[in-house]
Amino acid sequence: MKDSAFDEMLEIYEEITRLKQLSDLLMWDQNTYMPPGSVGSRAAQNSLVTGLIHQRITSKRMGELLASMKESELSEQEQAMVREVRRDHERKSSIPEKLAREISKTEAEGTQIWVKAKQNNDFASFAPILGRMIDLKGQVTEHLGYAENPYDALLEDYEPYMTSREIRSIFGPLRAGLVNMVKKIADSGHEIDSSPIMGSFPKEGQESLSKRILGDMGYDFERGRLDVTEHPFTVGSMDDTRITTKYNIEDLRPGIFGSIHEGGHALYEQGFLEENYCSPLAESVSLGIHESQSRFWENIIGRSLPFWEHYLPITGEHFPRLKRYDPVDIYRAVNTVAPSLIRVQADEVTYNLHILIRFELETKIFKGELDVKDIPEAWNERYEEFLGLRPKTDTTGCLQDIHWAVGYFGYFPTYTLGNLYSAQILDGMGRDVADLHSRVKRGEFGEILVWLRSRIHRHGRMYPAKELIRRATGYELSSDHFLSYVKEKYSGIYGINL
Ligand code: CO
């Protein structure tokens, strides 16, 4: 028999979910159609909703309910809901209100200072507020607690139940493998012609192509929509999951792959079980798993040869000049590898090296082994070591990402975890779904989505990410699958033995 404390807990959690949905809508509106004059009232609305969410999850009543819960009387699913609500309650309650307010104030201030510092290549002007943010986050780690490394407490905000020790043991071999491959590709002297996807691609054509692909993937436009923003994102969940993309009329890649990437995030959010709606089991388990969904569709499917065998003729209807190309020309053009300084422009092979650098610096910062003033030099040294390039400015170096300005320490590793998970998913799916390649070549993604729905999406926060991946694919988390995937793919593209 179910405990009534459980029902009351879920009722409060439903309110929390509804408030989060409101907060999502405010954020979406702010980035799409909000008139500039509403900035002030929007900030007040945001802070009100955020405050209400915080009040509900940390409330005394919630604490009492969690304490009185008779978990042995609950089903396995219900126990998982309690575990996750308890986790949220304890983490949020452990941060003193004054500290939380100080952090959001520093975030807002930090963002403004960072924007200017990045524009003016002026790290010195950003250093004091970055130092303050690091100090505040250091206080957070003490309140949250950790077993070994303070950084772990921050990491858990984005990748619950993961430690930096585990990440380090996986990133080590990844680094060795990738550095070696990047070097071999550079030494080969082969250059891939990316001209087919450069030129003039009017926005209308890109938009209707994006919608066509998203529809084929199974994205439900009845429960979502596609708009344009400076930085693409996905927002919402279940019956209202919206995505945005950004079109570059001179380059086909950002728009199309931006749409597919966000489409992957959205399919995850649209794929929870109706019966779990407004509970933690209808929420994403971690940012790494979220990113595995976007990367799977964007890179593993969208940047594959069978994908372009299917979509080149369709793309040619929108952009007739592409009709003269062979699918393999497009496949190669969207898979060029070149070390670069800017993370968001990096290719599949070099991307993770950008992340490994950030992870290394972040862990050093929180161990007290790296001072703020020494960040630019430490950054530049590592770019030279990992990618063979040294940034000439901090704008193209340690000032390029907004994450640290808003205190997102522990966030970066989830991008790479997403890539690693996605390669394991490919291997697991390949074993279960016959003729994966020929399905993609026919533009049939139904079985792929069924696999993702049943193995990943439907579980929400039922299992920690590592366990979810092990159950879904049969493999423990490692870098092996990703390394074999890029090795095979890029050996073919570059005609060398990686
Ligand atoms: Co993403």
Side-chain angles (χ1 to χ4, degrees):
M1 205 194 72
K2 223 194 296 177
D3 197 313
S4 67
F6 178 82
D7 291 332
E8 194 181 337
M9 176 201 82
L10 270 196
E11 269 167 43
I12 302 176
Y13 204 82
E14 177 175 346
E15 285 186 0
I16 292 171
T17 307
R18 298 296 181 194
L19 288 165
K20 283 182 189 162
Q21 292 169 347
L22 290 174
S23 160
D24 281 351
L25 282 177
L26 292 175
M27 180 277 205
W28 175 84
D29 177 65
Q30 189 167 352
N31 285 284
T32 50
Y33 302 107
M34 187 183 86
S38 327
V39 171
S41 58
R42 182 53 42 90
Q45 293 158 357
N46 278 329
S47 121
L48 174 63
V49 177
T50 310
L52 291 173
I53 294 172
H54 192 262
Q55 264 173 29
R56 273 168 179 69
I57 192 70
T58 60
S59 71
K60 192 162 155 263
R61 184 64 189 149
M62 185 62 109
E64 288 164 3
L65 292 170
L66 288 165
S68 72
M69 205 79 69
K70 297 185 187 68
E71 289 177 53
S72 56
E73 294 170 9
L74 301 175
S75 71
E76 201 192 337
Q77 302 248 322
E78 290 162 345
Q79 286 181 22
M81 291 181 192
V82 175
R83 180 196 69 217
E84 292 302 298
V85 175
R86 177 172 284 129
R87 182 177 186 279
D88 293 354
H89 172 77
E90 285 173 356
R91 286 179 69 85
K92 299 282 184 218
S93 306
S94 66
I95 312 293
E97 220 181 305
K98 191 165 161 264
L99 178 56
R101 265 205 309 273
E102 187 66 25
I103 289 174
S104 52
K105 214 180 97 208
T106 310
E107 264 177 45
E109 223 177 300
T111 307
Q112 286 179 343
I113 296 175
W114 168 77
V115 168
K116 286 211 183 72
K118 183 177 173 180
Q119 265 165 16
N120 304 329
N121 182 34
D122 182 9
F123 181 80
S125 69
F126 178 57
I129 194 139
L130 177 59
R132 195 144 78 238
M133 183 57 101
I134 290 167
D135 178 59
L136 292 169
K137 286 285 169 171
Q139 292 177 41
V140 165
T141 67
E142 295 308 320
H143 289 289
L144 288 174
Y146 50 86
E148 196 177 354
N149 189 334
Y151 180 76
D152 294 354
L154 303 176
L155 181 63
E156 279 227 37
D157 265 344
Y158 312 105
E159 200 65 18
Y161 312 108
M162 185 73 81
T163 66
S164 54
R165 174 186 284 269
E166 287 171 290
I167 291 188
R168 194 168 299 108
S169 75
I170 294 159
F171 283 9
L174 180 63
R175 176 189 162 178
L178 290 177
V179 167
N180 184 30
M181 270 186 241
V182 172
K183 193 175 175 312
K184 278 188 181 169
I185 290 174
D187 289 348
S188 77
H190 288 221
E191 285 210 17
I192 304 284
D193 178 16
S194 59
S195 65
I197 38 102
M198 309 299 275
S200 175
F201 304 99
K203 177 185 167 281
E204 294 68 30
Q206 293 198 47
E207 187 179 70
S208 73
L209 181 60
S210 290
K211 286 188 170 162
R212 162 75 190 258
I213 296 171
L214 286 165
D216 292 347
M217 285 163 63
Y219 176 73
D220 183 355
F221 279 95
E222 282 295 307
R223 300 190 294 155
R225 51 178 295 133
L226 174 66
D227 292 273
V228 174
T229 51
E230 179 58 30
H231 301 286
F233 63 84
T234 300
V235 76
S237 188
M238 302 285 288
D239 51 16
D240 188 352
T241 308
R242 308 180 186 197
I243 57 183
T244 70
T245 191
K246 181 190 180 178
Y247 304 110
N248 178 344
I249 60 164
E250 287 160 8
D251 182 344
L252 198 54
R253 288 170 294 184
I256 299 306
F257 292 114
S259 298
I260 300 175
H261 179 99
E262 299 306 327
H265 281 305
L267 287 175
Y268 184 24
E269 292 285 345
Q270 287 182 335
F272 303 124
L273 292 181
E274 202 63 46
E275 68 202 55
N276 293 328
Y277 196 28
C278 292
S279 88
L281 297 195
E283 290 177 349
S284 74
V285 61
S286 76
L287 285 193
I289 293 294
H290 229 309
E291 197 66 7
S292 77
Q293 299 305 293
S294 56
R295 293 296 188 161
F296 179 82
W297 286 100
E298 178 197 351
N299 288 337
I300 293 180
I301 303 294
R303 285 189 160 89
S304 72
L305 181 56
F307 182 90
W308 287 101
E309 284 170 331
H310 180 71
Y311 282 105
L312 180 57
I314 296 164
T315 309
E317 287 165 23
H318 297 284
F319 310 111
R321 61 171 279 262
L322 290 181
K323 284 183 180 161
R324 68 184 130 116
Y325 293 109
D326 193 81
V328 78
D329 298 328
I330 308 296
Y331 169 62
R332 290 160 62 89
V334 299
N335 285 301
T336 53
V337 174
S340 68
L341 293 172
I342 308 296
R343 173 183 64 87
V344 295
Q345 293 164 3
D347 56 77
E348 257 182 312
V349 182
T350 57
Y351 185 90
N352 294 304
L353 293 171
H354 293 260
I355 299 301
L356 302 193
I357 291 171
R358 287 155 178 76
F359 171 69
E360 208 180 293
L361 296 182
E362 286 186 346
T363 47
K364 278 193 183 305
I365 289 170
F366 285 93
K367 270 194 209 152
E369 293 171 1
L370 177 61
D371 277 353
V372 171
K373 65 171 178 14
D374 300 323
I375 289 176
E377 181 55 26
W379 181 286
N380 296 346
E381 270 173 15
R382 279 171 185 75
Y383 264 78
E384 198 153 11
E385 193 188 331
F386 286 51
L387 286 152
L389 297 169
R390 195 178 177 89
K392 290 198 174 61
T393 65
D394 292 331
T395 301
T396 57
C398 66
L399 286 173
Q400 66 182 271
D401 300 303
I402 192 174
H403 299 58
W404 291 350
V406 290
Y408 286 8
F409 292 97
Y411 191 116
F412 282 122
T414 67
Y415 293 116
T416 287
L417 290 173
N419 290 326
L420 304 184
Y421 293 144
S422 74
Q424 295 193 204
I425 286 172
L426 173 68
D427 286 349
M429 187 186 288
R431 213 180 34 217
D432 300 336
V433 179
D435 309 326
L436 200 52
H437 276 229
S438 38
R439 285 174 196 277
V440 176
K441 196 171 164 175
R442 293 193 301 270
E444 291 171 14
F445 304 119
E447 288 303 312
I448 293 177
L449 186 57
V450 165
W451 193 97
L452 293 171
R453 287 263 188 268
S454 67
R455 303 287 186 131
I456 307 283
H457 302 172
R458 73 197 302 265
H459 298 296
R461 291 166 70 179
M462 179 76 196
Y463 311 108
K466 271 174 297 186
E467 192 183 339
L468 178 72
I469 278 297
R470 182 167 49 72
R471 284 170 169 267
T473 67
Y475 307 117
E476 295 293 337
L477 174 61
S478 83
S479 59
D480 298 351
H481 300 267
F482 181 80
L483 282 171
S484 328
Y485 158 73
V486 283
K487 212 172 252 183
E488 192 186 325
K489 178 171 176 179
Y490 291 91
S491 288
I493 290 171
Y494 280 86
I496 51 176
N497 190 5
L498 290 173

